[in-house]
Each structure stands twice: as C-alpha cells, then as structure tokens.
Amino acid sequence: MERYPFEYDPSRSSFAQQAGEWIADVFYDILPEHGFEVRDEQIYMAFQLERAFADKRTIFAEAGVGTGKTLVYLLYTICYARYMRKPAVIACADESLIEQLVKPEGDIAKLIEHLGLAIDARLGKSPDQYLCLIKLEHARVGDEEAGLFEDMTKQLPEFVQSPAAMQTFYSYGDRKDYPALNDEQWNKINWDSFQDCFICEKRHRCGQTLSRDHYRRSKDLIICSHDYYMEHVWTYEGRKREGQLPLLPDHCAVVFDEGHLLESACQKALSYKIKHDVFEELIIRLLQNQIRESLALLIDQAIEQSERMFAALQRKSVVIPGSDRKQILLDDALLHEINQFRGLLASIEDELVYESELFVLNHYQLRIVEEHLEMMQKALALFFISDSLICWLTEEKDGPTLSIMPRTVKEVLKEHVFDSHMPIIFSSATLSVDGSFDYVAESLGIQNYLSFSAASPYDYRSHMKAYAPTWTHGGRFEEKMAAAVHLLKQTGGRALILFPSKEELRRFKTEIAAFPEVFGMNFHFEGDGEISRLIELFQNDETSILCAVSLWEGLDVPGRSLSNVIIWALPFPPQDPVFMAKRSSAKDPFHEVDLPYMLLRLRQGIGRLIRTSSDTGIVSIFYEESSGPHQLRPYIDSIMPEGIRLEELPL
C-alpha cells in the first residue's frame, strides 16, 4: 500500500494543502468519471476541513442531507493518518451508524472501489456488543431458554475451548453474528458493566479481547461509537495504572459523526454504577486469604451497611413515568446511610495498606479490590458536594443498581479531548439552532472552534410533502393509530415510524394487529433483532414498515423502500434524572434545554426521507399544538427544508 494516494512534495506547500488539492481533483474529476454527481457543497466542505487539519483545530461541519460530507471527512482522515503514521478515529453516534458506514455499499467501500485505495478500516465496537462467555455458560444451564444458548455454545469457534495457540485473528461473538436474537435474549449473554474481566479465565479467548487486539493495529481508521470513545477517555488513566493498554491506541484525529449527540454519550461514559451483589462478591474474595480479624470484621460490617444503604435508596426512590430510571429523593436519613458506608470503605482501604505490606494477599486481586473501592468512594463522595451529581436507581432481576454521574462533563472533555491539539471534526446535518452553534458548543464546553454550514442540494419542494394532523381529541393514541394506518395505506407500507420511547413502540406493536387495513404488510420492530439486520430487511422488502426509537439519525435508505416518515410525537428530551438536572440549572428550561434538543432531533427525523435527488415521499408529524405560552408551530416551520410548509393531513 502506497503511503499517500497523491505525490506529496514536502518542499512545495503544507501537507493539508496538497491533500486538499488532491481531494478537489477527486470530486471534480475522478468520481464523476464513475458516475458520481459533482457537488459544490463537497468542495466547500473540503476547503473548510483543510483549515481544521492544517491548524489542528476543532470544527463544526454542518452539511445538509445529500452534500456527501462522509466522503469528504473520510478522504481527509485517511490522508492525515498516513501523514502522521497514526490511525484516525471515526466515532459514530451508535452501533447502527457504524454498520451504515462499513456496509458493502457504504462510503468506505465506494472509495476502495472507485479510487483504488487500500483502506485499513477496523471496527472498535463497544463491549456490550460482544458475547460474554461466562454469561453464556450460566444462561445455557439455568435460563428458561437454555436450549437456545446450548446451541450457541456448540457453534462457538473450536479455539474457545482449546488451549492451543491461535495463529491468526478470528472474529466471533459480535452482536451482528446473532441477528435473530431479540434485545432481551442478547442482554442475557452479552458483556455488561458488572462483568469482572480482570479475573476471567476466558479473557484471552474472548471475542471482545481478540477484536481489541485486532483494531489496535489499524493504520488508517478505527471506527467506534461515541460511547466507546468516551469510555476510552474516561478509563485512560485508570487502565494505565492497572498496567493495561487504553481502549484505543494513540491517534491523530477524531471525527464525531452526528456530533450533536456527543454530550449524552459523555454523560453515559462518565457515570458510575454500584450494585450490592457485585460489591459483596468482590470484597469477600479477601476473606479467602489469611487476613487479620479486624479486616474481616470490617468486611462483614461493610456488606451489612451496603444492604442497608440500598434498602434506603429503594425507599427513597420514585418511578419516573415513561422511564426505567427511578428518581432518588435525597434526605438526611439517606445521606447518613451513604456516609456510614463510605466510612467503612475508608477503613477497609486503610487496612488493606497494612495487609499489602504483610504479603498475605494476592497482589493482582488486591489491586482489583482497591480500584473498585476507589471508584465507589469517588462516586459516593458526589452526594456531599452541592449540585455536583445526577443519580438514579434502576430495578433489575438481581437487585437495584445505583447510577451516579457528574452534573457536567465539560472539564473532562476539555482536558482529555479538546486540549489534545489535534483536528476534531463534528459532522452532522444538524449542529446549529437558529444558525448558531452555541447550544452544542456550550454543552460540551468548547470555546474556540471553526464552523460552517452547507445546505442540502436537494429540491425538496418538488419531492416532498409534509403533513400535520388536526386532532379531534388532542392527539390521543387511538387517533394516532388511525392516522398512521391511513398513511400506511396511502403509500402501501414503505414507511419508517419514529417513536419517542420504547413504551409507545411496544403499545403500537400490540395494537396494530387489530387493524385489518394493514394485514399483509410486514412490520419490523426495533428490539426484535439486531438493528442492522432489521434495516437490511426493511430496505430489501420494499413494502415493509420499520418501527424504531433510535433511528432518528444516520439511517440511509434511498429509493422507494422509504417513501413515508411518520414522527409519532415531537422528540422532546425524556423525563429522566439527567434532563431533570439540566432543566433545574437553566434559567429558561424550555428554550435552553427542551426546545433546542427537540428541534435538532426533529430535523434529523425529517432528514431520513430524501436521501438522493430522485427520492420522493411524505413526512407526517403527529403533535398537538400547545395552548400555553410556548407555541410550537413557528419553531417547527423554521426547521423545515426550504420550500416546505406543513399542510393539514387529509384523513
């Protein structure tokens, strides 16, 4: 593989400028020879990105649907990675967007085919996208679907059970390898945050571990999710202390595709999770050693206090409608139980310092316990720093889980990402609100950045209609069902229905079976299988319907298969502790938090319809106009594509 796809002359001009000249030739000359349409928006974007790579700056690259922004940033990052001799990272909003990027007809494949480039692009998927051999072993013995998991065990590669050395990389255990499993089945056997990989005897045969070793060797691109990139940032120092490699290797640039969603990924990655059963299992390992009686007594007391603390958390938590998270109502009694637990953890930590000097504890296990106790202390300390935490409780089959996160992620991002002096590209069709990038920049703590906006080249006026029903009874679920059935009949299926929550999707799934008008239409529901497989089925079965919660961004299905987008409700942020905290700290919660979030996501949802210059179709937005001070129609009109206005849905 030649280092550069063009002749680089170090004596002539900067590398970024010469790369920009070659990229302009690609769009003006090379790709048109292969039937690609020349787009001025791509050339404009390429010129803007040249500045970011030349000066190692952060840039908000807002480019509308059809501008071909992915091809632009791919060409720059590949060239820059080879110049710096380090891979670049492409961080996508979720796993389905990763699959869209690397699918056989995706943009990377196009560059390989039409430019003759040998691109080394490897996937760095999140741990929960991989099979856990330990959980699979438990499921095949004790689960009600044990037969299913027994069959999966028999289909594992031979080397998983064999001690023989492996000669080559062998990928297995990816969520995509099990497309027929629904989400509930997959969650029984996939990795989760409470799996202790440090002591797992199968870790050197684990699909996740093998995949990690594989992608670290990439010379051009590592493609991962926002979540995984932020997990890399958050665990970087801790993994180095533990003698482990960081999740991602040293890299030269980062592209955040659908970058407006990065904040939620940051908050998810920066959260702590505490569970009584996990703590108890970890701490009692110390009792297997010859420890002093004083430490053994402290361990027993800590286990009992952990039980009391979680019992108090359950008493002081209330269900949040429409969320699986429970709000924790802090009071002095609950804080007392938390502080008592912290005190016992501190005493155990002091005792472990003395025990380590006696050399009676296994050094490896001791380090694991100390790291876990340190994490718990950091998390629980946030309860006693005013206005510094967001917390919630989730109830699961094996007991409650306490989740804790800092209220702001800005400091971590500034120190570990934006001060790293490398090109950072935020790419999306929706990064600005009313022409300003302040909402996204402020949420991430970015003060110094470049930015540009390029409009979509499509003639929406000739290819798209937008409707909003007029409800008789306030847009009740029954009314929405009737409107949806009417629209599905109108287009003969060929529809994407976007829901604001899993609960509404599940209710639709139950009730649509009672409508004879849609008998014979195939429905694909998110959660019933691996998401990229569902998208493939939808695209290949032209008259089918795809019902989803997470596909507001990135879904790219050109042609007649997607001729009808139904937005079930305006995508306001959920009523969960994270957004409740953001609202509580805002002077004007509606205009500072709820409205910008909704408008960005609504623009993304509308953008799923027209993916090529020949696409046509309809978008319907199911909402009820507020009778209060926040009239929504002007805001919705402001984000519609040029030439499109909402019309009354003829029912």
Side-chain angles (χ1 to χ4, degrees):
M1 179 174 71
E2 291 189 16
R3 185 173 177 189
Y4 305 123
F6 58 91
E7 286 193 24
Y8 171 51
D9 182 357
S11 66
R12 186 167 66 83
S13 58
S14 71
F15 178 82
Q17 182 177 339
Q18 292 183 53
E21 292 170 358
W22 173 73
I23 291 169
D25 289 341
V26 168
F27 290 125
Y28 276 128
D29 300 323
I30 302 175
L31 289 182
E33 290 177 1
H34 295 279
F36 285 74
E37 181 182 350
V38 177
R39 294 169 179 166
D40 291 338
E41 292 82 7
Q42 282 179 315
I43 305 299
Y44 176 66
M45 180 176 178
F47 175 76
Q48 298 294 329
L49 289 194
E50 181 184 317
R51 295 188 298 154
F53 280 92
D55 300 333
K56 299 181 180 180
R57 298 280 301 278
T58 296
I59 186 169
F60 290 112
E62 182 178 59
V65 176
T67 55
K69 54 185 175 291
T70 306
L71 290 176
V72 180
Y73 74 61
L74 282 175
L75 289 170
Y76 264 108
T77 51
I78 292 166
C79 291
Y80 194 71
R82 296 182 182 183
Y83 175 65
M84 298 295 292
R85 296 184 184 272
K86 298 178 185 177
V89 173
I90 310 293
C92 301
D94 56 36
E95 307 298 333
S96 65
L97 296 179
I98 292 175
E99 296 295 342
Q100 292 277 320
L101 190 60
V102 301
K103 63 186 179 181
E105 65 274 23
D107 287 326
I108 291 178
K110 291 175 183 176
L111 293 179
I112 292 173
E113 178 184 359
H114 299 300
L115 298 183
L117 284 175
I119 300 173
D120 187 4
R122 308 190 188 191
L123 302 188
K125 289 193 171 184
S126 297
D128 62 3
Q129 295 296 303
Y130 286 95
L131 178 73
C132 171
L133 296 172
I134 299 299
K135 287 178 70 175
L136 177 61
E137 181 69 21
H138 293 160
R140 79 180 185 90
V141 174
D143 191 81
E144 58 189 14
E145 296 180 281
L148 169 66
F149 300 123
E150 175 66 28
D151 291 341
M152 290 179 60
T153 302
K154 293 177 180 178
Q155 295 168 12
L156 291 174
E158 199 171 309
F159 68 78
V160 173
Q161 309 297 342
S162 168
M166 290 174 51
Q167 300 301 313
T168 58
F169 170 72
Y170 191 111
S171 176
Y172 84 96
D174 188 329
R175 173 69 173 100
K176 194 177 180 183
D177 296 337
Y178 306 99
L181 294 185
N182 61 39
D183 286 357
E184 183 178 356
Q185 292 167 328
W186 175 250
N187 289 336
K188 292 178 181 179
I189 58 171
N190 73 326
W191 180 93
D192 63 56
S193 59
F194 293 111
Q195 295 306 111
D196 193 348
C197 299
F198 295 120
I199 63 166
C200 179
E201 61 184 16
K202 298 180 182 293
R203 65 184 179 276
H204 298 302
R205 304 281 165 173
C206 171
Q208 177 194 158
T209 303
L210 297 175
S211 174
R212 193 170 293 168
D213 290 340
H214 177 66
Y215 72 65
R216 281 196 179 107
R217 296 185 176 92
S218 175
K219 292 180 173 59
D220 290 333
L221 303 176
I222 297 173
I223 304 169
C224 65
S225 66
H226 290 179
D227 289 352
Y228 196 53
Y229 189 83
M230 294 315 304
E231 186 73 16
H232 159 74
V233 170
W234 186 234
T235 62
Y236 184 85
E237 294 297 336
R239 292 181 67 88
K240 285 176 62 178
R241 285 197 305 270
E242 294 165 5
Q244 299 184 82
L245 291 172
L247 294 179
L248 294 170
D250 191 19
H251 46 278
C252 65
V254 184
V255 176
F256 292 113
D257 201 356
E258 303 299 351
H260 62 288
L261 298 176
L262 182 61
E263 185 190 13
S264 60
C266 297
Q267 291 173 325
K268 180 179 177 182
L270 270 58
S271 64
Y272 302 94
K273 290 187 177 181
I274 299 175
K275 204 167 190 170
H276 168 74
D277 289 350
V278 174
F279 166 71
E280 182 177 16
E281 180 183 347
L282 188 73
I283 202 73
I284 61 175
R285 291 178 192 167
L286 299 176
L287 298 177
Q288 299 170 6
N289 300 272
Q290 294 181 353
I291 61 175
R292 290 173 301 129
E293 184 178 351
S294 57
L295 177 56
L297 180 61
L298 281 172
I299 290 172
D300 288 339
Q301 291 174 343
I303 292 172
E304 292 175 1
Q305 182 58 36
S306 174
E307 290 176 333
R308 285 194 291 270
M309 181 183 74
F310 272 96
L313 285 165
Q314 287 179 296
R315 290 194 301 270
K316 292 296 182 180
S317 60
V318 296
V319 174
I320 302 172
S323 174
D324 59 354
R325 299 173 176 180
K326 298 173 72 174
Q327 182 182 7
I328 298 173
L329 307 175
L330 296 176
D331 62 11
D332 291 341
L334 176 56
L335 291 174
H336 173 75
E337 297 294 345
I338 295 172
N339 204 37
Q340 288 288 103
F341 185 53
R342 289 183 65 214
L344 288 167
L345 294 182
S347 298
I348 291 174
E349 288 176 309
D350 291 340
E351 290 282 328
L352 288 177
V353 174
Y354 185 79
E355 290 285 344
S356 66
E357 296 173 354
L358 299 177
F359 301 102
V360 297
L361 295 177
N362 178 283
H363 176 71
Y364 186 61
Q365 289 207 8
L366 174 61
R367 189 175 65 186
I368 294 170
V369 173
E370 287 176 331
E371 286 285 341
H372 194 80
L373 295 181
E374 181 183 354
M375 177 276 291
M376 295 177 73
Q377 286 284 37
K378 286 181 180 178
L380 295 174
L382 293 174
F383 280 99
F384 302 92
I385 305 174
S386 177
D387 297 328
S388 66
L389 93 158
I390 302 167
C391 60
W392 65 88
L393 204 69
T394 51
E395 297 285 355
E396 299 170 29
K397 291 181 180 179
D398 55 349
T401 298
L402 172 63
S403 297
I404 306 167
M405 67 167 59
R407 185 177 290 266
T408 179
V409 300
K410 297 177 183 178
E411 291 79 7
V412 174
L413 286 172
K414 183 177 187 301
E415 180 179 355
H416 296 288
V417 181
F418 300 122
D419 283 352
S420 57
H421 195 57
M422 65 179 175
I424 298 175
I425 315 301
F426 285 83
S427 174
S428 177
T430 56
L431 287 168
S432 66
V433 179
D434 291 334
S436 170
F437 296 91
D438 289 349
Y439 174 72
V440 175
E442 172 62 25
S443 68
L444 298 171
I446 302 173
Q447 297 177 334
N448 184 14
Y449 60 87
L450 303 171
S451 66
F452 72 90
S453 294
S456 170
Y458 295 149
D459 178 13
Y460 286 94
R461 191 192 307 269
S462 303
H463 293 266
M464 171 180 167
K465 290 285 188 180
Y467 297 113
T470 300
W471 308 113
T472 303
H473 301 290
R476 294 188 304 189
F477 201 91
E478 296 77 11
E479 287 185 288
K480 290 185 176 183
M481 289 295 299
V485 168
H486 171 81
L487 288 163
L488 294 176
K489 286 178 57 183
Q490 183 175 330
T491 56
R494 301 180 174 86
L496 168 69
I497 309 180
L498 293 170
F499 293 88
S501 68
K502 293 179 181 178
E503 289 75 20
E504 296 218 45
L505 184 149
R506 283 194 287 262
R507 185 177 175 187
F508 176 89
K509 181 180 178 181
T510 299
E511 297 193 12
I512 194 64
F515 288 82
E517 298 94 326
V518 296
F519 287 178
M521 294 184 183
N522 289 330
F523 286 82
H524 306 291
F525 297 96
E526 183 176 352
D528 283 357
E530 193 271 328
I531 190 64
S532 65
R533 175 58 176 161
L534 294 177
I535 293 171
E536 182 182 356
L537 291 171
F538 169 62
Q539 186 166 9
N540 293 334
D541 181 3
E542 186 181 299
T543 59
S544 64
I545 299 103
L546 178 59
C547 303
V549 175
S550 67
L551 296 179
W552 295 77
E553 292 89 6
L555 179 68
D556 186 12
V557 179
R560 296 193 67 203
S561 292
L562 209 174
S563 303
N564 182 357
V565 173
I566 300 173
I567 295 173
W568 194 259
L570 294 179
F572 281 106
Q575 293 295 325
D576 71 6
V578 174
F579 282 98
M580 291 166 69
K582 293 187 73 170
R583 293 183 186 102
S584 68
S585 61
K587 293 181 180 179
D588 184 349
F590 178 75
H591 287 96
E592 293 178 28
V593 179
D594 293 339
L595 186 62
Y597 178 97
M598 183 274 286
L599 292 176
L600 284 175
R601 203 143 208 230
L602 182 59
R603 284 173 64 193
Q604 284 285 351
I606 294 169
R608 297 314 96 210
L609 181 66
I610 305 297
R611 307 303 300 176
T612 70
S613 58
S614 61
D615 284 353
T616 61
I618 59 175
V619 170
S620 301
I621 304 173
F622 292 1
Y623 83 103
E624 172 67 6
E625 182 60 85
S626 170
S627 58
H630 302 309
Q631 295 294 312
L632 297 172
R633 181 60 177 268
Y635 296 110
I636 296 173
D637 286 339
S638 72
I639 57 96
M640 298 301 291
E642 185 177 356
I644 300 298
R645 292 190 61 82
L646 282 176
E647 303 175 24
E648 183 176 344
L649 177 64
L651 295 174

